[in-house]
Amino acid sequence: RETEEYHRLLYVALTRPRDRLYIAGAQSAKAIPADCWYELVTQALAGHTETVTFADGQTVRRLAVAQTAAAEPEKKRATHDTTAAPVPPWMSARAPRETQAALPLAPSRLAPYDFDDAGEPMAHPAEFVSAQTADDGQTEAAAPDLASDGTRFLRGTLTHALLQHLPALAHPGWPKAAAAFLDSRGAALAANVRRQIAAETIAVLTEPEFAALFGPASLAEVPIVAELPHPSGRGAALKLTGQIDRLVDTGHEILIVDYKTNRTPPTTAADIPQAYLVQLAAYQLALARIYPGRPVRTALLWTQTSCLMPVPQALLDSISSQLWKFGTPALDVVGLPT
């Protein structure tokens, strides 16, 4: 039935023109599908067309038939000059770059953590690695790009997926579902690491303190897009794109929770890496515009210790004004998904 409908659409396209029909195809690196419209028409007209060569050497296949209907009388003849105008210079010039109306920022790509061969997160020496121009005009050396071996982000990715999908299943089936998922998607990790991920995830989901966090008033992996005006009222706005791990609407306030799978999580909020504060500060500003008049709180969930660490507002306030600097193209932050 799909093939018949495909052919009916071709029939409509072929019979709509009154005087002329031009058929053209686009050639790519891939082979032309044998059942595409171009090939179907070419095969059907084989032996009925003539090859015509133009002045520039290009050729076309043409099928022409004598007109059988009487020509309609010309309604109005153009009286103005129809000579083709010369091509203006701008037609062959590259379009100028448009002025950027907003500075892009993807906060989830600011976390300065690398991963070892087992998928274990490990802190990078510098919180932010950037290439900046010194006073003498020389460019300071930036840290080399971190090689990707396919497992760098696997632990965090698998943990996020389990925290997103396991709550939708019946509680008794969590261990079996987690093991099957990790064996399928996390085969690159050692078996003991997969068991550790499952145990940590289930420990988080069964913690009574987190019942509201994974309850019906919460949302998982919430995409967010926002444009934040510059605090001074001048300068480019900050265009924010990201994804919130968990968003909870309690009815009187909004809670943003970000999962972290670090093997040695900090024990106090004062030790939270600056990159994580940048991430949460950006999300908080965006959610404050989406939910005006309602408090927006933030917290980090350290999966290794099943610890939910509220982030003091003073820490976020200290970083919020710097968000526009992190969005500036001159600051080349090495982006690593968390």
Side-chain angles (χ1 to χ4, degrees):
R1 288 196 300 266
E2 288 180 355
T3 301
E4 290 174 354
E5 178 63 16
Y6 182 67
H7 290 163
R8 279 194 291 269
L9 291 175
L10 173 58
Y11 172 81
V12 173
L14 292 172
T15 55
R16 288 294 294 274
R18 187 183 66 171
D19 296 323
R20 294 185 183 89
L21 170 66
Y22 295 90
I23 300 175
Q27 177 69 58
S28 66
K30 298 181 180 179
I32 300 176
D35 61 345
C36 72
W37 283 1
Y38 185 88
E39 283 298 297
L40 292 177
V41 175
T42 300
Q43 294 167 14
L45 295 182
H48 300 283
T49 60
E50 60 174 329
T51 301
V52 179
T53 303
F54 293 103
D56 59 2
Q58 296 196 52
T59 61
V60 297
R61 291 189 291 270
R62 183 172 67 188
L63 172 64
V65 296
Q67 179 171 314
T68 57
E72 296 180 0
E74 190 173 26
K75 297 178 180 179
K76 185 178 180 181
R77 178 177 295 274
T79 57
H80 58 276
D81 185 9
T82 57
T83 304
V87 178
W90 59 263
M91 286 287 289
S92 57
R94 183 181 296 273
R97 182 181 298 273
E98 295 184 5
T99 302
Q100 193 171 26
L103 303 173
L105 176 65
S108 61
R109 298 185 63 82
L110 292 178
Y113 280 80
D114 195 9
F115 290 71
D116 62 19
D117 292 338
E120 301 282 353
M122 53 186 184
H124 196 271
E127 287 193 345
F128 288 97
V129 183
S130 62
Q132 299 177 348
T133 303
D135 294 338
D136 59 0
Q138 300 298 317
T139 300
E140 298 176 3
D145 290 337
L146 301 170
S148 174
D149 60 1
T151 63
R152 290 173 57 204
F153 313 122
L154 193 52
R155 183 185 192 109
T157 300
L158 296 174
T159 302
H160 277 65
L162 289 175
L163 290 173
Q164 177 182 0
H165 297 295
L166 282 184
L169 304 178
H171 183 189
W174 286 357
K176 183 177 180 180
F181 174 78
L182 292 171
D183 289 344
S184 173
R185 301 294 181 89
L189 301 178
N192 66 310
V193 175
R194 299 198 298 272
R195 289 193 295 269
Q196 189 180 62
I197 294 173
E200 287 182 9
T201 304
I202 294 176
V204 168
L205 293 176
T206 54
E207 172 60 48
E209 181 187 355
F210 303 154
L213 180 59
F214 297 99
S218 67
L219 296 173
E221 305 298 329
V222 181
I224 182 171
V225 178
E227 191 165 297
L228 307 176
H230 198 283
S232 66
R234 302 185 302 273
L238 193 66
K239 187 174 183 180
L240 168 71
T241 58
Q243 187 158 293
I244 297 174
D245 293 343
R246 204 80 188 181
L247 184 66
V248 184
D249 185 350
T250 66
H252 59 87
E253 68 178 5
I254 303 298
L255 175 62
I256 300 171
V257 178
D258 199 44
Y259 309 142
K260 298 302 176 188
T261 57
N262 305 49
R263 296 299 84 201
T264 53
T267 56
T268 65
D271 297 324
I272 296 175
Q274 187 187 32
Y276 296 169
L277 297 177
V278 171
Q279 181 177 2
L280 291 174
Y283 290 152
Q284 186 185 57
L285 286 177
L287 267 294
R289 293 177 62 85
I290 297 173
Y291 298 96
R294 298 173 64 179
V296 179
R297 297 190 297 113
T298 64
L300 291 170
L301 176 56
W302 306 103
T303 60
Q304 184 191 29
T305 56
S306 295
C307 173
L308 185 65
M309 180 182 289
V311 180
Q313 188 58 45
L315 280 177
L316 297 181
D317 291 341
S318 67
I319 208 76
S320 294
S321 60
Q322 302 181 48
L323 290 176
W324 282 260
K325 179 182 71 173
F326 296 137
T328 304
L331 183 62
D332 183 19
V333 181
V334 173
L336 298 176
T338 57

